[in-house]
Every structure is written in C-alpha cells, then in structure tokens.
Amino acid sequence: MVPTLDLNAPGVHAHPFETYRRYREEDPVHWSERYQAWFLFRHADVHAALRHPALSSKRIEAFRRLAPPDRAKAVDSALATLERWLLFEEGTEHHRQRRLFGHGFTPTAIR
C-alpha cells in the first residue's frame, strides 16, 4: 500500500521518481484528502483527463470556497489575478494567450 501522499516529504523530494512509480503501480488514480485533489500517475490517464469535456482548468472557485472567512477578501484579490493566468484558462482565451507567448518556447528559441 502506498503511503499518504505528502509532496513536501523529504523522501519525495529526494526520490520523486520512486514515489511516482509506486503510485503508478499501486494507486494510479489517487484521491488525496490532504490536498483535496486527484493525482494521476499514468500518461494515458492524464491524456484522457486533459481531453475530457467534463473537466475544466477553471478551478479557482474551489480555492475561493476554501478560504477562511477572515481572509476571504485578501484571498479573493490574489485569486482574481490567478484566474487570468494561462494555467487556469481554457478554450478561446487559453489559445489566445498561448499564441501571444508560445513562440518563446519553441526548441529553437530555448536553444
């Protein structure tokens, strides 16, 4: 049985690929209570999830709901910025942003 996933554990930092291998073999689609998130450890699962129409990149609202009431205003300000990032966009807006700076990440530009 795999241990509870702790991304900050020294063993995970020291040997991340061993951790990933264990999860891939023993619990490849893992729900983490600690992070309140699903972790996918197989390429085929990640590939399917990225293309599944029911899944979304617009996940800032979950962070907003988890904010303590006394910190909601400060958290909302930060989240308002994050939700405009490419990572949290999808569809037309995601593609528009990728076109703006994608040229800087080609193999030639990186070399």
Side-chain angles (χ1 to χ4, degrees):
M1 184 169 146
V2 291
T4 300
L5 184 60
D6 178 0
L7 298 175
N8 293 313
V12 173
H13 284 259
H15 307 285
F17 298 112
E18 174 60 21
T19 300
Y20 304 153
R21 182 196 60 76
R22 285 189 66 193
Y23 274 92
R24 202 169 38 253
E25 292 174 1
E26 299 176 37
D27 192 10
V29 179
H30 172 78
W31 171 254
S32 169
E33 284 296 325
R34 165 182 255 147
Y35 298 106
Q36 293 290 295
W38 288 98
F39 287 82
L40 306 175
F41 292 93
R42 293 182 301 209
H43 181 270
D45 295 325
V46 172
H47 188 267
L50 289 172
R51 283 153 184 74
H52 196 287
L55 300 177
S56 173
S57 296
K58 293 204 166 275
R59 55 194 176 275
I60 292 294
E61 203 52 45
F63 293 106
R64 207 171 259 122
R65 284 192 308 270
L66 293 171
D70 63 321
R71 302 284 301 142
K73 188 171 183 172
V75 168
D76 190 59
S77 176
L79 295 179
T81 298
L82 288 176
E83 66 191 348
R84 293 189 306 267
W85 286 13
L86 174 70
L87 179 64
F88 297 107
E89 287 289 355
E90 56 189 19
T92 305
E93 182 58 22
H94 177 86
H95 294 296
R96 184 189 74 78
Q97 289 183 30
R98 278 189 63 178
R99 280 193 306 274
L100 289 174
F101 61 84
H103 304 291
F105 292 96
T106 65
T108 302
I110 292 171
R111 269 194 296 282

